[in-house]
Amino acid sequence: MAYRWTNDLTHDDVTPKAAFLNRRQIIAGLAAGSVAGSLAPQFASAQEALEPNSFEDITNYCNFYEFGTRKDDPARNAHMLTTSPWSIQIDGMVDTPGEYTFEDIMAKMTIEERIYRFRCVEAWSMVVPWNGFELADLLNLAGVQSGAKYVAFETALRKDEMPGTRFPVLDWPYVEGLRLDEAMHPLTLMATGIYGQDMPKQNGAPIRLVVPWKYGFKSIKSIVRITLTDDEPPTSWNKANGREYGFYSNVNPNVDHPRWSQATERKIGGGLFAKRIPTLMFNGYEEEVASLYEGMDLAEFY
Ligand code: MTE
């Protein structure tokens, strides 16, 4: 990768009076006029829409079907998951395949804080201060071989610790995938915590993926295996319902979900009267990632 993504936020920006997600994004939005203009009547200010959600919101409104399908099930059930010891098997087209222990990974990676917008396909959104490291750094540690084109991810599957997996809601274990260039992009994070703390279990402890320009379901949690491959890997939601959930899963307000519009979203925590806000192309990261999809019909590759 030619550049590393640089965070222009410090921890002081996050707590307690966090203001901005990404100044460049806001400035771009203001320049375009549309974002600030359409936010103004609905939120007190554009800043309010970009303020990090509270720790309580982030840890109590979760999708982690291994612990149940209701939003509050993971907060109630995820304590059952044993997260130490933990290791990730990295295999496939890498120079150094093997079991990488969580401690060893953490010792070799540079942990930093990144505040990212998070958009769910169900049209809710949050702003989350993650701590983590670039996935590219982990993949480079294992040494990606030249023929590799995709990265496949797998969540732990432990029927005794994950009550939701006793039901065939999804084809367990939960799996996800990225194209190699998406995986190597400096925005793509292996997150190991939020708000400067270790990752809460309901949010995917000890380590999960965050791809800020894609819908939340790409954010595979509690990862135990990463495989480099030359074939597009299967993904859980695509297997469950391919018509509604494609491999790419880019946030795209111009392509409707078959059952609802993707054009707007509601920020969690805004209270009962929170108005909908316009959803931005690539979740606001268009400047950084649009070039990855140049020449692709995003209605076909959704
Ligand atoms: N990972 C696993 N293993 N199991 C899941 O059910 N749900 C996905 C994703 N990762 C899911 C998962 C979905 S649909 C979303 S929206 C995000 O996790 C939610 O992440 P959060 O709970 O931290 O907000």
Side-chain angles (χ1 to χ4, degrees):
M1 210 58 217
Y3 69 100
R4 287 181 69 87
W5 186 82
T6 48
N7 201 348
D8 57 359
L9 291 158
T10 69
H11 197 261
D12 291 345
D13 291 312
V14 186
T15 51
K17 284 191 242 136
F20 297 104
L21 161 67
N22 176 329
R23 291 185 194 98
R24 270 185 306 153
Q25 199 176 313
I26 293 169
I27 291 160
L30 290 171
S34 61
V35 176
S38 47
L39 286 175
Q42 295 154 322
F43 280 92
S45 65
Q47 288 96 306
E48 194 181 316
L50 296 169
E51 237 175 72
N53 279 90
S54 67
F55 187 86
E56 285 65 36
D57 282 345
I58 297 168
T59 53
N60 286 294
Y61 194 91
C62 299
N63 278 2
F64 199 168
Y65 279 16
E66 286 86 336
F67 296 103
T69 54
R70 288 175 37 152
K71 303 291 180 208
D72 56 352
D73 282 340
R76 279 190 293 111
N77 296 327
H79 65 89
M80 294 182 226
L81 182 68
T82 310
T83 54
S84 177
W86 195 272
S87 62
I88 301 182
Q89 183 183 333
I90 305 183
D91 58 14
M93 303 172 83
V94 289
D95 295 333
T96 327
E99 288 284 333
Y100 290 71
T101 68
F102 182 68
E103 287 71 25
D104 197 31
I105 292 171
M106 291 300 270
K108 292 191 170 116
M109 297 294 136
T110 310
I111 303 297
E112 50 176 312
E113 183 168 73
R114 302 262 184 110
I115 304 175
Y116 285 161
R117 283 167 53 85
F118 184 96
R119 167 68 156 81
C120 185
V121 74
E122 294 163 316
W124 52 268
S125 62
M126 291 202 199
V127 176
V128 184
W130 304 106
N131 3 294
F133 55 85
E134 291 180 15
L135 172 60
D137 290 342
L138 181 60
L139 297 181
N140 288 333
L141 186 69
V144 178
Q145 295 183 342
S146 61
K149 295 195 180 81
Y150 295 92
V151 187
F153 303 85
E154 193 177 303
T155 294
L157 172 54
R158 300 186 195 147
K159 289 218 156 47
D160 48 336
E161 296 186 357
M162 297 171 146
T165 60
R166 295 178 206 141
F167 307 96
V169 193
L170 289 170
D171 182 15
W172 313 111
Y174 194 99
V175 290
E176 255 308 339
L178 293 175
R179 221 170 54 189
L180 185 62
D181 57 346
E182 298 176 322
M184 297 301 268
H185 193 282
L187 280 173
T188 302
L189 222 58
M190 290 295 270
T192 57
I194 58 170
Y195 270 107
Q197 302 182 25
D198 289 348
M199 188 65 75
K201 291 187 178 182
Q202 59 266 43
N203 294 97
I207 187 162
R208 62 171 278 173
L209 185 66
V210 178
V211 193
W213 69 95
K214 292 181 184 277
Y215 289 110
F217 61 89
K218 279 282 171 191
S219 298
I220 182 169
K221 293 170 170 165
S222 305
I223 294 170
V224 292
R225 188 173 181 190
I226 297 177
T227 307
L228 278 289
T229 151
D230 55 1
D231 259 342
E232 187 181 284
T235 73
S236 280
W237 284 102
N238 182 251
K239 282 198 289 182
N241 189 344
R243 209 173 75 83
E244 298 190 6
Y245 307 108
F247 176 79
Y248 281 92
S249 318
N250 286 322
V251 172
N252 188 341
N254 308 317
V255 176
D256 287 348
H257 181 277
R259 287 184 284 141
W260 54 75
S261 158
Q262 308 264 43
T264 63
E265 67 201 55
R266 198 188 303 269
K267 193 180 168 200
I268 295 293
L272 223 53
F273 303 106
K275 296 266 168 47
R276 306 191 73 84
I277 55 174
T279 287
L280 301 176
M281 188 68 196
F282 296 112
N283 202 24
Y285 300 92
E286 184 167 14
E287 191 190 317
E288 287 92 343
V289 302
S291 62
L292 297 177
Y293 310 101
E294 230 165 63
M296 286 175 71
D297 177 353
L298 297 182
E300 185 186 343
F301 298 101
Y302 57 97

